[in-house]
Amino acid sequence: MTRVLMVSTDVVGPSMAGPGIRALELARVLARTHEVTLAIPAGSSPASLPYAVVHYQPGRIGDLAAAVAAAEVIVGQGFVFTSHPELLAASQPIAIDLYDPQILESLHLVRQVDPVTAAIEAQGFVVRTRAQLERGDFFFCATSVQRDYWLGALSVLGRMTPTLVAEADDDLRSLIDLVPSGLDPQPPRRDEPVLRGVHPAIPEDAFLLIWAGGLWDWFDPQLVVRAVAQLRETCPQLRLCFFAGARPNPDGPPIVTPEGVAVRELAAHLGVLNETVIMLDTWVPYAERGRYLSEADVGVSAHMPGIETHFAFRTRLLDYLWARLPILCSLGDSLGEQIAQAGGAICVAPYDLDGWCAALHQLYHNRVQCSTMAASSDGVARTFTWDAVAQPLVAFCDAPRRTAPDHVATERPAPVGLDPQVLAAKQAQLAALDHYARQLDTALNQKNQHIVHLERHIERIEMGRVMRLLKLFTRQR
């Protein structure tokens, strides 16, 4: 039994997003065979868990030092390695979660800011990622495409040494393997209704589409809204419900995305907001999401083409799989296409409004097809249970080892303290960068909000011009 420290970079509690859910569930699997401690940001409020929990203050360097010293293996993801350099400075084996290629996401997040700020912000992601790739002993990600991407990065950084290749398995699974997000083996069951006949815009006999998850820049929810608006007459019972509440945030107030604001404004402009398009204003609690999903007829997700999509793993599709929902999504997502090959999803080309309208019309009027698709997804769902997907991480914790350079690997290192010189160097390199990165993140969010306000103003001006032209045309007639 190994003492494992799992560090969540995100809030863990009743309301949480993907990173927190992932840390919670992977820790749950590891705790069956190991002694697990889950470190969570201050402000988290999890229910009773089958393992130890410690709280830390995000960004307060050294806050995790005691938990690190007591551990034999450290597992973490993302920004937490930058804001807490005591993690990368530890001498114990470290497993690093790379399921979210943040470098690629940053390209979307900074594209509307000035070039200098964008370049600095993007470089910050590169520095943070490089520090993790240079120090980690085992890495895990979500898809084979992601794994190829990270193998290239590790190769360039000199991590594939002749010694490692000679001692490891031929395909280097001992260095980096697949641990996608997972799902509960038992599908959710319908309980007391939470949407049908409860929300004033959702009748009990509605054909209900669910968009579960955040509305980020790389998604295209406006396309789905336009399709639903066009089908009002031919599909009168069609309803689209977004999980649109503000995302929990360990570093400050909940996050409202510009895309979420834009979707709401588009639905209002098309006259379908709170009629055929419903946006839930609060974040759906993790334990309650099954009740919402079980009432849906179809799970939907639309995204734009691009590098983020190519390497993405859409965890919201797992929720649809869990609920055995037929899925309608954009082409280009590896999980969506896997489900489509099994017969459980229909994939439509990005930006194809006619394609979305046709697919929705087809499903609306062919409930037998919906049932067939739902049944087809069952086999895929069974391969994505948390117990199944977590096995490579479990295996690493069973036999932890050092593979990072300038350290001697041992079969089972004894817990040791932090090297003060290494810690000081990491603090100097990473603490200032993290502080500056947080300032840039705040500025970026403010600029995005400003852009949204400008777009609203421009839309009102354009609408005023159209109305004046219509009045002029009417008078001339």
Side-chain angles (χ1 to χ4, degrees):
M1 179 177 288
T2 305
R3 293 191 297 276
V4 180
L5 174 64
M6 171 75 73
V7 186
S8 175
T9 191
D10 209 353
V11 173
V12 173
S15 295
M16 54 184 168
I21 294 169
R22 189 166 166 83
L24 176 81
E25 296 294 353
L26 289 177
R28 195 187 304 274
V29 175
L30 289 172
R32 295 197 177 101
T33 51
H34 297 291
E35 183 181 333
V36 174
T37 297
L38 177 64
I40 55 180
S44 298
S45 55
S48 177
L49 297 174
Y51 43 77
V53 173
V54 297
H55 291 79
Y56 70 92
Q57 187 64 47
R60 191 160 68 192
I61 295 172
D63 228 27
L64 288 166
V68 168
E72 294 176 295
V73 174
I74 299 165
V75 185
Q77 182 262 337
F79 290 129
V80 74
F81 288 110
T82 306
S83 57
H84 290 273
E86 62 266 31
L87 296 172
L88 293 185
S91 56
Q92 295 96 318
I94 300 177
I96 295 181
D97 188 352
L98 299 173
Y99 88 101
D100 182 8
Q102 293 176 330
I103 290 177
L104 303 180
E105 282 190 0
S106 73
L107 300 178
H108 287 265
L109 295 173
V110 303
R111 62 185 176 182
Q112 295 191 35
V113 302
D114 64 273
V116 174
T117 302
I120 294 172
E121 178 78 356
Q123 184 60 26
F125 279 94
V126 172
V127 172
R128 285 183 286 235
T129 303
R130 178 169 184 155
Q132 295 173 40
L133 295 179
E134 289 178 335
R135 173 57 190 88
D137 299 294
F138 174 68
F139 305 92
F140 53 102
C141 56
T143 69
S144 295
V145 176
Q146 284 186 4
R147 185 171 183 270
D148 289 342
Y149 171 77
W150 292 120
L151 280 169
L154 290 165
S155 178
V156 169
L157 292 176
R159 292 301 311 273
M160 296 183 191
T161 63
T163 300
L164 174 66
V165 173
E167 295 177 350
D169 50 305
D170 289 342
D171 59 359
L172 294 180
R173 295 282 173 180
S174 59
L175 177 65
I176 178 168
D177 209 340
L178 301 183
V179 180
S181 290
L183 47 82
D184 190 282
Q186 295 301 320
R189 296 181 179 179
R190 283 201 184 186
D191 202 342
E192 289 297 317
V194 289
L195 294 173
R196 294 180 180 274
V198 176
H199 192 286
I202 304 177
E204 292 183 4
D205 60 347
F207 187 80
L208 182 59
L209 314 177
I210 284 283
W211 178 296
L215 299 170
W216 302 100
D217 289 0
W218 43 87
F219 288 112
D220 194 10
Q222 296 185 50
L223 179 68
V224 189
V225 171
R226 293 184 187 278
V228 169
Q230 286 196 22
L231 294 171
R232 275 177 291 185
E233 294 186 5
T234 57
C235 304
Q237 296 302 101
L238 185 63
R239 298 292 185 272
L240 169 61
C241 180
F242 286 99
F243 287 10
R247 183 199 188 282
N249 177 18
D251 300 312
I255 300 171
V256 177
T257 65
E259 184 61 29
V261 175
V263 169
R264 187 180 297 274
E265 291 182 346
L266 175 64
H269 175 70
L270 296 176
V272 293
L273 183 63
N274 295 324
E275 294 185 10
T276 56
V277 174
I278 297 92
M279 303 190 74
L280 303 181
D281 293 324
T282 57
W283 192 263
V284 175
Y286 181 56
E288 296 293 316
R289 76 196 193 289
R291 297 177 63 190
Y292 291 81
L293 292 164
S294 67
E295 292 188 27
D297 292 292
V298 176
V300 296
S301 179
H303 53 251
M304 301 175 189
I307 196 71
E308 188 278 337
T309 290
H310 181 67
F311 289 102
F313 182 80
R314 306 292 185 209
T315 54
R316 70 197 59 211
L317 299 188
L318 285 178
D319 276 341
Y320 304 156
L321 263 184
W322 176 48
R324 304 305 195 267
L325 294 177
I327 295 172
L328 182 56
C329 61
S330 299
L331 276 169
D333 171 74
S334 60
L335 180 57
E337 292 178 3
Q338 179 183 349
I339 300 169
Q341 289 175 0
I346 296 174
C347 296
V348 181
Y351 305 132
D352 185 359
L353 178 58
D354 290 341
W356 269 86
C357 288
L360 287 173
H361 188 275
Q362 176 182 338
L363 293 174
Y364 181 92
H365 291 285
N366 191 341
R367 307 301 169 91
V368 173
Q369 180 181 358
C370 289
S371 298
T372 301
M373 291 173 64
S376 298
S377 67
D378 185 71
V380 182
R382 295 185 187 282
T383 68
F384 278 99
T385 64
W386 281 109
D387 280 344
V389 301
Q391 287 311 302
L393 180 59
V394 172
F396 177 76
C397 293
D398 288 343
R401 59 199 174 275
R402 289 300 308 266
T403 63
D406 60 55
H407 286 280
V408 178
T410 60
E411 241 181 68
R412 184 74 175 269
V416 294
L418 302 181
D419 184 328
Q421 292 183 343
V422 176
L423 178 57
K426 293 296 182 184
Q427 288 173 339
Q429 294 171 6
L430 301 178
L433 174 63
D434 185 63
H435 177 70
Y436 187 52
R438 289 174 186 274
Q439 289 180 321
L440 286 176
D441 288 340
T442 299
L444 179 63
N445 189 51
Q446 291 173 343
K447 289 188 177 184
N448 279 334
Q449 295 291 345
H450 183 59
I451 289 169
V452 170
H453 290 313
L454 287 176
E455 289 175 343
R456 290 183 194 166
H457 186 58
I458 291 170
E459 185 177 336
R460 284 195 293 269
I461 293 173
E462 292 299 325
M463 185 59 68
R465 289 176 178 170
V466 170
M467 295 304 296
R468 287 195 295 272
L469 287 172
L470 285 173
K471 288 179 180 178
L472 180 60
F473 179 74
T474 303
R475 289 172 186 167
Q476 289 177 345
R477 292 185 65 187

